[in-house]
Amino acid sequence: MNDTRSYVAPFALGETITGGAVGRVIESASDSLEVGTAVLHQHGWTDIIQADAETFRPVPDIDGVPLSVHLHILGMTGLTAYVGLTAIAGLNKGDTVFVSGAAGAVGTAVGQIAKQLGAGRVIGSAGSADKVALLTEKYGYDEAFNYKEVNVREQLPKSAPDGVDVYYDNVGGDHLEAALDVMNDGGRIALCGAISGYNATDRTPGPDNMANIITRGLKLEGFTLANYLDLAPEFREKMSPWFAEGKITYDETVVDGIENTVDAFLNMMRGGNTGKMLVRI
Amino acid sequence: MNDTRSYVAPFALGETITGGAVGRVIESASDSLEVGTAVLHQHGWTDIIQADAETFRPVPDIDGVPLSVHLHILGMTGLTAYVGLTAIAGLNKGDTVFVSGAAGAVGTAVGQIAKQLGAGRVIGSAGSADKVALLTEKYGYDEAFNYKEVNVREQLPKSAPDGVDVYYDNVGGDHLEAALDVMNDGGRIALCGAISGYNATDRTPGPDNMANIITRGLKLEGFTLANYLDLAPEFREKMSPWFAEGKITYDETVVDGIENTVDAFLNMMRGGNTGKMLVRI
């Protein structure tokens, strides 16, 4: 599982975290990579890198959009949202969608992509009043609530009076339990990450309403993105026109300087950022 | 959900339980039903019934096999096993399969159908030494254990040292938790019934290892047979030759006389039967 660990599990102390990076080719001895081409790579956080051409993946330039989007909403982050909604949850037009941890980089992508794919009502939860406001004012959520100020299990039936068809779970725990209460017959749950369990020192009990999975014919499916990278071309093909038409927005939290990386990472794990956390070098 | 309740949920006091029945046409005013045709119907437990021809569904006679199999292994019971293994769990050749409540009518069908569909190792749990013996000696299970005499979570890794690809869950609770421990990457869990929760007066916590669903890319899906009746022809087409070749066996517990029905039902819920419980009238 090591190759997929960065998407799904806590980082062990001493483990190397290699973030993806984006840049432009400034010198090339390869016919396949022209100078000026925008490329993604996994060579770590560095201002200049020299390596074999095949270790760089060209990405398209989109007018008026910074290259950094290939590190999040047009990259793995957006693909994670797309895969969860399509390959895992089988989103249908008109579906009511609930997204937990909706103000994160993945969650903001999920809400917008769901709407573009024809979802009906889209409901999000987030951990502060500011984030909740962003969800409805900026990211196209129809409704949002602050899960730190309500009992999720009491709130969700009010936010989703007609039930939920697709639940995109970034949180687990009380959110999953609340969702199982309100899922409609034939509902699908995409399980992506389990932030709420990251600090658990021992195993915490699962939802007390698992029987609903049977009586309502529900599907729960977890996924790690590494198994769905073949959907990347389809994803970019759909996203590019939405982007060009101004239908997709995003936040970046950019931290300047590699010396601030550790603070940035800890801040992210505490929920201090909105959207993708990036480090500019 | 009422039309599917009999497969998945406890029966409420005062609720009518109408069992399916099988018999032969003894008089007919319909061109579509000849005298002597074997038919299934839902007219309740009665020795003679007169009703419209379209309320009787003809079923094939198979040499040397009693009509009663259409009430279980060739009927809804077998179809439940088949749907769970195929449409829900997507059984692949060579898969290791674990079945809980394996000595029940559905469980004995699951093990045999899994083998015919090309499963590798098939492991079952049951609630007595006699039932465990039947699983390996009669129903083709490769391994079985008595869940009343072991800790399921400690036993299952020993019974499935190479992990489990498909778990057919008739039990829930500790069995589901144990299965989640040993599921292989990409494993599928079909949730069919939750006998262990039938007597719960309040909600019991779910598995403490739900995070495995994400890290291992597992799928859990519950189902009620009513949504999969279109698979019945495909199921009978596959089962009939297996039957004719003597590859499928079954138990019936036949109780004589309608006056013994209540005792028979209570006995079934306490686990006193092996195979399908039938009442002969």
Side-chain angles (χ1 to χ4, degrees), chain A residues 1 8 153 176 181 185 191 193-194 203-210 213-215 217-224, chain B residues 1 8 153 176 181 185 191 193-194 203-210 213-215 217-224:
Chain A
M1 301 300 302
V8 298
R153 201 166 195 174
L176 178 56
D181 274 354
D185 287 4
L191 300 174
R203 295 174 151 184
T204 49
D208 66 12
N209 49 359
M210 297 283 286
I213 299 173
I214 302 169
T215 54
L218 307 180
K219 188 183 87 163
L220 281 78
E221 190 166 353
F223 70 104
T224 51
Chain B
M1 303 300 300
V8 299
R153 201 167 196 172
L176 178 55
D181 274 354
D185 287 5
L191 300 174
R203 295 175 151 185
T204 49
D208 65 12
N209 49 358
M210 297 283 287
I213 299 172
I214 302 168
T215 54
L218 307 181
K219 187 183 86 162
L220 279 78
E221 189 165 356
F223 70 104
T224 52

Side-chain angles (χ1 to χ4, degrees), chain A:
Chain A
M1 301 300 302
N2 284 333
D3 58 337
T4 60
R5 175 173 288 192
S6 58
Y7 303 115
V8 298
F11 302 97
L13 283 176
E15 188 170 354
T16 303
I17 305 171
T18 308
V22 67
R24 280 189 195 281
V25 178
I26 54 174
E27 208 178 302
S28 175
S30 162
D31 291 342
S32 64
L33 276 186
E34 285 181 32
V35 170
T37 307
V39 292
L40 285 175
H41 67 81
Q42 297 285 335
H43 292 296
W45 294 346
T46 169
D47 51 358
I48 299 180
I49 179 71
Q50 180 176 24
D52 286 345
E54 61 261 32
T55 66
F56 299 94
R57 189 165 66 76
V59 289
D61 271 306
I62 302 180
D63 271 357
V65 178
L67 282 187
S68 55
V69 295
H70 293 291
L71 294 177
H72 49 94
I73 187 115
L74 260 186
M76 296 296 111
T77 309
L79 183 58
T80 300
Y82 181 79
V83 165
L85 286 170
T86 58
I88 306 298
L91 180 71
N92 295 316
K93 286 197 196 308
D95 276 349
T96 297
V97 177
F98 172 49
V99 185
S100 59
V106 171
T108 54
V110 171
Q112 296 181 87
I113 293 172
K115 279 290 187 186
Q116 293 303 317
L117 290 172
R121 189 175 169 79
V122 179
I123 302 150
S125 77
S128 77
D130 287 350
K131 290 180 180 178
V132 165
L134 275 177
L135 289 181
T136 53
E137 291 164 14
K138 182 169 180 182
Y139 292 111
Y141 278 79
D142 298 293
E143 158 125 10
F145 61 83
N146 180 349
Y147 64 78
K148 291 184 179 166
E149 291 200 337
V150 297
N151 177 313
V152 178
R153 201 166 195 174
E154 290 170 7
Q155 178 60 44
L156 190 54
K158 298 173 192 163
S159 298
D162 297 322
V164 167
D165 303 300
V166 167
Y167 171 41
Y168 194 109
D169 185 5
N170 291 304
V171 168
D174 60 341
H175 277 78
L176 178 56
E177 198 166 60
L180 284 172
D181 274 354
V182 301
M183 294 304 289
N184 291 327
D185 287 4
R188 289 85 61 204
I189 299 179
L191 300 174
C192 172
I195 297 287
S196 71
Y198 275 11
N199 295 313
T201 49
D202 49 16
R203 295 174 151 184
T204 49
D208 66 12
N209 49 359
M210 297 283 286
N212 290 356
I213 299 173
I214 302 169
T215 54
R216 301 182 189 180
L218 307 180
K219 188 183 87 163
L220 281 78
E221 190 166 353
F223 70 104
T224 51
L225 195 60
N227 296 328
Y228 294 91
L229 295 179
D230 58 320
L231 291 179
E234 168 188 320
F235 162 69
R236 278 194 298 269
E237 199 169 298
K238 292 203 173 161
M239 280 291 272
S240 295
W242 297 338
F243 238 106
E245 294 163 24
K247 289 176 174 167
I248 302 288
T249 186
Y250 57 91
D251 267 340
E252 296 177 344
T253 302
V254 179
V255 176
D256 271 293
I258 202 158
E259 66 277 15
N260 294 312
T261 304
V262 171
D263 281 349
F265 183 73
L266 293 177
N267 192 32
M268 177 181 76
M269 294 308 282
R270 290 187 198 110
N273 64 311
T274 306
K276 187 70 175 184
M277 176 70 79
L278 301 169
V279 177
R280 181 185 294 127
I281 298 173

Side-chain angles (χ1 to χ4, degrees), chain B residues 96-127:
Chain B
T96 297
V97 178
F98 172 50
V99 186
S100 59
V106 170
T108 54
V110 172
Q112 296 181 87
I113 293 172
K115 278 291 187 184
Q116 292 303 318
L117 290 172
R121 189 175 171 78
V122 179
I123 302 150
S125 77

